[in-house]
Amino acid sequence: MTWVPACKLDDIEQEGAIRFDHGGRTYAIYRAPDDQVYCTAGLCTHEAIHLADGLVMDFEVECPKHSGVFDYRTGEALRLPACENLKTYPAEVIDGEVRVALS
């Protein structure tokens, strides 16, 4: 597992998300209300829409196309039409920089 610099914490609004592309893959990085950061696969499991463009609130992200909802801390699909969980990745903040652990 390699820790990859993704962005600055200040690049992400509180209760917001940012798209991060690396190694030919897309990820979404979320900033929780308590300033913790989380990372998931960046595309909805229902129709491959970028989740960073969705509504982020209360530890959940809503897909902007069909309103499927995921818990971004665990990747769990919470509302149809999303029924497949998202892959999650460890994330941390070091000196204001968000890093994601990718394999």
Side-chain angles (χ1 to χ4, degrees):
M1 190 177 311
T2 303
W3 287 94
V4 177
C7 62
K8 299 290 185 193
L9 180 61
D10 289 342
D11 293 339
I12 312 169
E13 292 182 26
Q14 197 169 43
E15 288 196 287
I18 193 168
R19 179 177 166 179
F20 172 60
D21 297 321
H22 180 77
R25 294 191 177 179
T26 296
Y27 305 89
I29 301 172
Y30 309 89
R31 183 174 177 179
D34 60 3
D35 283 336
Q36 292 293 312
V37 292
Y38 298 87
C39 181
T40 69
L43 301 176
C44 179
T45 57
H46 173 242
E47 281 219 9
I49 301 300
H50 289 282
L51 291 171
D53 295 332
L55 176 66
V56 178
M57 191 181 331
D58 298 329
F59 303 104
E60 296 176 355
V61 59
E62 180 181 80
C63 178
K65 185 161 186 177
H66 292 120
S67 301
V69 174
F70 300 90
D71 182 324
Y72 60 74
R73 298 169 297 180
T74 64
E76 181 182 2
L78 300 175
R79 184 170 70 208
L80 295 173
C83 56
E84 183 181 332
N85 295 342
L86 291 169
K87 183 167 173 110
T88 61
Y89 303 87
E92 65 182 8
V93 178
I94 302 291
D95 296 327
E97 180 179 73
V98 177
R99 302 186 324 158
V100 178
L102 304 174
S103 50

